Amino acid sequence: DRKDRIDNLKKAFTGRMSFIVPGPGSNQITKYLYIPQINSSSVSSDLFDKVAEIVYSTERITKKTEQALIRNVLSAFLSIILLFLIAYAISRYVTRPVYQIIEDIEIIANGNYDHPIRRTKGFEFRRLETSIQKMVGRLKKDIISIKQRTDELHQELVNRQYAEQSLRAANHKLSLLGTITRHDLLNQISVVSSGFDLLEEDIPKNEQHNRIMSMIRDALNSIHDLILFTRIYEQMGVDKPVWHHMTRLIDEIMKNFSEQKCSVDDTTNGLEIYADPMFDRVLYNLIENSFRHGGTVTRIAFHVITENGIAVLTYSDNGRGIPGEDKEKIFARGYGTNTGLGLFLIREILSLTGIEIREIGKEGEGACFEIRIPEGKWRLHDASMESNGN
């Protein structure tokens, strides 16, 4: 007898339903099965609705379930261990050659270029090994070539330093020789000039004697100018180029021509030129040539424009100008009515820093010299001029 049996029977019968409840013993369940009547013309007990009570034991099912769970857990655990071992073996198979190659590369990186890359398994690793071996071989050749070139450059540097020292010593000797020679020549010229002055007083004055005396006097002056020119020419290129501010330089040079009634039109707008320290001789000789050869010069002008990175500085005057056939000759040494060294010296000084000069004026309208200054050898402080290109 069970306390809840009557209630469960009534529940199944009245509700015409089947259901399961736990019990009555451990590892048991009870099923109440509703069985409806069977329609029949015969009189039988089967004509009544019935409820069957069936008790099942769950012990075997529980044991089977527990056994299955244990088997599944063990299988899962063994599978995990097996997968881990397989993964470890695969990773070792894959990474060991990589570590081996890394070790070989580190040995090579430490300077042992003859160390070979050890052979590994796998097609891809053999390709990698071959590629690295080729790279190391090429690197070794390049290092040997660089070392040889370094040794050659070192030897060349030593030779160049020795040559520079020898050149400095030779320049010093030449400079000293030139200084002594110029000093002695100037002394001798002074003696000759003094003697010539005394002799000139005792020679009878006539046309022929005057012409000869004038020739000798001009020759002495030319020799004197040539000696002074050698001193100037010797100084060219000795010192490093410096920046020259045009406006300040023009103002300073014009003080030497204060007796000239001449106006100066300066529109260089803060132009600075990177040139030999003797660049002031360029402007001085240009201005002197205007007053010496230009006739009545009352105006000189300095103007600058920029084009394609080049600064074009023009110097012009309102003198008589230069004939077309003489535009290039005037830069030759010895050309002209005086020593002929002024414009030759100008071109030589400018060429030291890659600056070009030419004469572009028209005869009768004044001289005009165009000075082309390459990029990097000029600069402007007037921003408005740079933006306008003038």
Side-chain angles (χ1 to χ4, degrees):
D1 292 334
R2 295 177 57 187
K3 294 181 179 180
D4 58 346
R5 172 175 288 170
I6 298 300
D7 293 335
N8 291 333
L9 287 174
K10 289 180 179 180
K11 179 179 176 181
F13 189 83
T14 58
R16 298 185 177 187
M17 55 183 294
S18 300
F19 57 90
I20 297 174
V21 295
S26 60
N27 297 324
Q28 288 183 337
I29 59 173
T30 302
K31 182 175 182 179
Y32 291 91
L33 179 64
Y34 173 78
I35 303 172
Q37 64 179 339
I38 300 174
N39 294 325
S40 174
S41 57
S42 61
V43 177
S44 173
S45 62
D46 290 338
L47 295 176
F48 300 97
D49 292 347
K50 293 175 285 296
V51 174
E53 182 188 71
I54 308 172
V55 178
Y56 298 92
S57 174
T58 60
E59 184 177 356
R60 293 182 61 190
I61 294 176
T62 301
K63 289 181 179 180
K64 292 289 185 181
T65 302
E66 290 176 353
Q67 291 174 358
L69 178 61
I70 292 172
R71 286 196 303 268
N72 290 337
V73 170
L74 289 175
S75 298
F77 181 73
L78 293 175
S79 298
I80 292 173
I81 293 176
L82 181 61
L83 290 174
F84 176 79
L85 293 175
I86 293 173
Y88 177 77
I90 293 175
S91 64
R92 288 289 296 172
Y93 178 81
V94 173
T95 58
R96 182 175 178 79
V98 174
Y99 286 130
Q100 181 176 302
I101 292 175
I102 292 175
E103 289 174 359
D104 293 337
I105 292 176
E106 288 179 348
I107 294 173
I108 295 172
N110 290 329
N112 187 2
Y113 300 105
D114 294 325
H115 179 75
I117 302 295
R118 287 170 287 179
R119 296 192 60 82
T120 55
K121 298 179 181 180
F123 174 72
E124 292 80 4
F125 288 113
R126 284 197 296 270
R127 287 186 59 187
L128 179 62
E129 169 198 343
T130 303
S131 300
I132 294 176
Q133 200 71 47
K134 289 182 179 178
M135 181 185 68
V136 171
R138 188 176 297 112
L139 180 62
K140 181 179 178 181
K141 292 181 180 179
D142 292 342
I143 291 175
I144 293 174
S145 177
I146 292 172
K147 185 177 180 181
Q148 292 175 349
R149 183 56 181 164
T150 301
D151 293 339
E152 293 175 358
L153 291 175
H154 177 71
Q155 186 61 40
E156 183 179 347
L157 179 61
V158 172
N159 295 336
R160 181 171 296 181
Q161 291 176 344
Y162 177 75
E164 289 178 354
Q165 292 175 357
S166 301
L167 183 60
R168 283 195 293 267
N171 286 336
H172 177 72
K173 293 178 181 178
L174 289 174
S175 177
L176 183 60
L177 177 62
T179 301
I180 296 173
T181 303
R182 279 193 300 271
H183 181 267
D184 292 343
L185 287 175
L186 289 174
N187 288 338
Q188 296 301 319
I189 289 176
S190 297
V191 174
V192 172
S193 179
S194 299
F196 180 74
D197 291 339
L198 295 176
L199 184 62
E200 190 176 18
E201 296 177 358
D202 297 335
I203 295 177
K205 299 293 188 294
N206 56 53
E207 183 179 353
Q208 183 178 6
H209 288 170
N210 291 339
R211 186 174 66 254
I212 293 173
M213 292 296 178
S214 179
M215 291 173 57
I216 296 174
R217 180 67 66 184
D218 291 340
L220 287 174
N221 291 334
S222 296
I223 294 173
H224 183 269
D225 291 338
L226 284 171
I227 293 173
L228 295 180
F229 172 78
T230 60
R231 181 172 61 189
I232 297 174
Y233 198 78
E234 184 182 57
Q235 297 172 356
M236 290 173 49
V238 174
D239 298 320
K240 293 182 179 180
V242 295
W243 287 101
H244 301 270
H245 191 281
M246 281 296 299
T247 298
R248 289 198 291 265
L249 196 57
I250 292 170
D251 292 341
E252 190 66 26
I253 292 174
M254 286 306 298
K255 294 178 181 179
N256 298 293
F257 303 97
S258 58
E259 74 282 357
Q260 300 289 340
K261 295 181 179 180
C262 177
S263 63
V264 179
D265 183 13
D266 176 18
T267 58
T268 55
N269 298 321
L271 173 68
E272 290 188 356
I273 300 176
Y274 190 68
D276 189 85
M278 296 182 65
F279 180 74
D280 57 337
R281 299 287 303 188
V282 173
L283 300 186
Y284 181 89
N285 286 352
L286 287 175
I287 297 172
E288 184 186 38
N289 278 346
S290 292
F291 294 135
R292 184 187 296 272
H293 305 293
T296 303
V297 175
T298 59
R299 183 186 64 84
I300 60 175
F302 294 89
H303 182 62
V304 65
I305 62 172
T306 59
E307 52 181 33
N308 299 324
I310 297 176
V312 181
L313 173 67
T314 56
Y315 166 80
S316 59
D317 61 40
N318 62 345
R320 63 170 62 98
I322 299 173
E325 62 273 12
D326 293 339
K327 290 184 179 296
E328 187 61 30
K329 295 179 182 178
I330 57 177
F331 294 103
R333 185 172 65 87
Y335 185 83
T337 56
N338 292 297
T339 59
L341 296 175
L343 293 176
F344 169 76
L345 184 65
I346 285 175
R347 177 169 281 184
E348 289 294 310
I349 293 174
L350 294 178
S351 66
L352 293 174
T353 49
I355 303 174
E356 301 175 354
I357 184 172
R358 61 174 182 165
E359 210 285 328
I360 59 172
K362 294 182 180 180
E363 185 178 5
E365 297 181 6
C368 183
F369 291 89
E370 180 186 80
I371 301 174
R372 300 181 66 85
I373 309 163
E375 188 173 5
K377 301 298 175 63
W378 62 274
R379 62 189 182 190
L380 291 170
H381 291 294
D382 190 343
S384 62
M385 179 177 176
E386 290 184 297
S387 60
N388 296 331
N390 293 304

